[in-house]
Structures are given as C-alpha cells and as structure tokens.
Amino acid sequence: MFEENIIDKRFVEKINRLGKKTSVVEVHFALNSRIDVRQVVFPVGDHYVTKGIFFISNITPSVSPPGEHLIIAGTPVLPSVTDDPKTIKEIVQNMKNEISSICPDFMPSLLWERPMAWKLVESVVKEPGMVWKSKMPHEIPGIKGLFFVGDSTISYGIGTDSAAHSSILCCPKIEFFLKS
C-alpha cells in the first residue's frame, strides 16, 4: 500500500508480531422469554464446544425486539471449519445441547437461530501480556492524518467495549490533528 521505507521497519516488525488470528463459529439465538439472569457464561471443561454464552438482552435490554430475548454463543475453530457447512451444523447442534443443559428452558423458548462462521477474527489479547500499549497505536509514525481504532489498537476491554474505548482514546488525537 505504501512505498518501501515510508513506514518505519521497527513498526512493521511490531505489526507482524501482532498477526495472531483465529476463526470462530458464532450463533445468534432469539428466544421468546428470558431464560437466565446472567450476562455471560463461560462453560469450563474440555467436553464443552461452546466457549462463551453472552445473554445480550441482559447486557443491553434495548437491543431486543419486543417479546424476544437475544443470546450469542461462540467457539474458536480452525479456519478450515468455516468452509465446512456440515461441521458448522454439528457445532451449532452441540452448542444448542450445551445451552439446554445449562438453561433447560432454552429449546422451548427458541424462536430462531443465525449461525455464522468467521474465518478471520482479530483477538483483543493476542498473547498473555499483549495488552494496552503492546497493542497497535492509533497513529503510524511518519504518516500524518492516518488514524486507526478498533479492538486491536490501544484500549482496554474485550470486543466492542475495547473498540469503543479505542475510539475514545483516539478522538483527542484526531481533534488535535484537525486543529493543527
């Protein structure tokens, strides 16, 4: 994208060290009732396929259509799995069984499901200790006026929280640049 030596070589090396990625199968479920009061459940143990169950309506009630309660379940997978509809279907069924074992009212309340497979997901924490300022900065040295925000840039939190916090931290930099 840029001519050679426009971006400092040390900066490029840092970018390359942060290149850890994963793939994910994620399923959105709409329910006709609230089946749990928790916000997040992380099933523990090797026998669980589901690694996280997020009760979205408990976190942010305003996102749910009237009469529906939204939850999201997800699990990291190999990139090849995201191209295999049969395996994705098996994973979704395992997730439904696991959620039912944790919340027995899940299946009777289920209105619809939307499975998705993401081949490329940037991890918020790439490796142990790679948080906060070890993540990418909001500006690239030597390229004035180019700013980046998101969960892989300097921020705290996970997922959307991290991306939002990154935006808050970057905003003063953008405003200062626009005034100069």
Side-chain angles (χ1 to χ4, degrees):
M1 197 163 108
F2 298 102
E3 292 178 25
E4 195 156 334
N5 298 325
I6 295 288
I7 300 175
D8 182 73
K9 288 194 184 307
R10 287 175 297 185
F11 189 80
V12 172
E13 289 171 7
K14 180 175 183 170
I15 292 169
N16 291 335
R17 281 195 310 273
L18 296 174
K20 304 255 167 123
K21 297 166 182 70
T22 190
S23 300
V24 171
V25 170
E26 177 180 288
V27 188
H28 296 197
F29 297 104
L31 311 174
N32 64 12
S33 63
R34 184 177 182 175
I35 61 169
D36 203 294
V37 296
R38 294 173 282 191
Q39 291 185 339
V40 181
V41 172
F42 295 110
V44 177
D46 293 337
H47 61 281
Y48 283 105
V49 170
T50 313
K51 300 304 179 199
I53 304 166
F54 303 87
F55 295 88
I56 302 302
S57 297
N58 294 348
I59 298 170
T60 310
S62 63
V63 302
S64 299
E68 293 185 16
H69 193 78
L70 303 177
I71 66 173
I72 296 175
T75 190
V77 296
L78 295 172
S80 59
V81 169
T82 63
D83 296 324
D84 184 352
K86 184 179 179 215
T87 303
I88 293 169
K89 192 172 186 174
E90 290 170 4
I91 289 170
V92 171
Q93 188 56 54
N94 285 335
M95 287 180 171
K96 289 164 63 173
N97 294 342
E98 291 168 3
I99 295 169
S100 291
S101 73
I102 296 167
C103 304
D105 293 333
F106 172 72
M107 286 305 290
S109 301
L110 184 61
L111 295 171
W112 55 261
E113 62 192 61
R114 182 177 60 183
M116 293 171 279
W118 305 74
K119 187 177 290 288
L120 175 62
V121 177
E122 287 284 351
S123 303
V124 174
V125 181
K126 310 287 188 182
E127 293 178 354
M130 295 189 79
V131 296
W132 189 234
K133 293 200 176 187
S134 292
K135 293 163 80 173
M136 295 308 299
H138 299 114
E139 299 173 83
I140 293 178
I143 303 177
K144 292 186 179 352
L146 181 60
F147 299 91
F148 294 94
V149 297
D151 62 3
S152 60
T153 59
I154 294 173
S155 58
Y156 278 132
I158 60 171
T160 306
D161 293 340
S162 176
H165 186 242
S166 170
S167 299
I168 291 167
L169 292 173
C170 185
C171 186
K173 296 174 186 301
I174 295 171
E175 289 174 342
F176 179 78
F177 173 78
L178 292 174
K179 289 178 184 173
S180 63

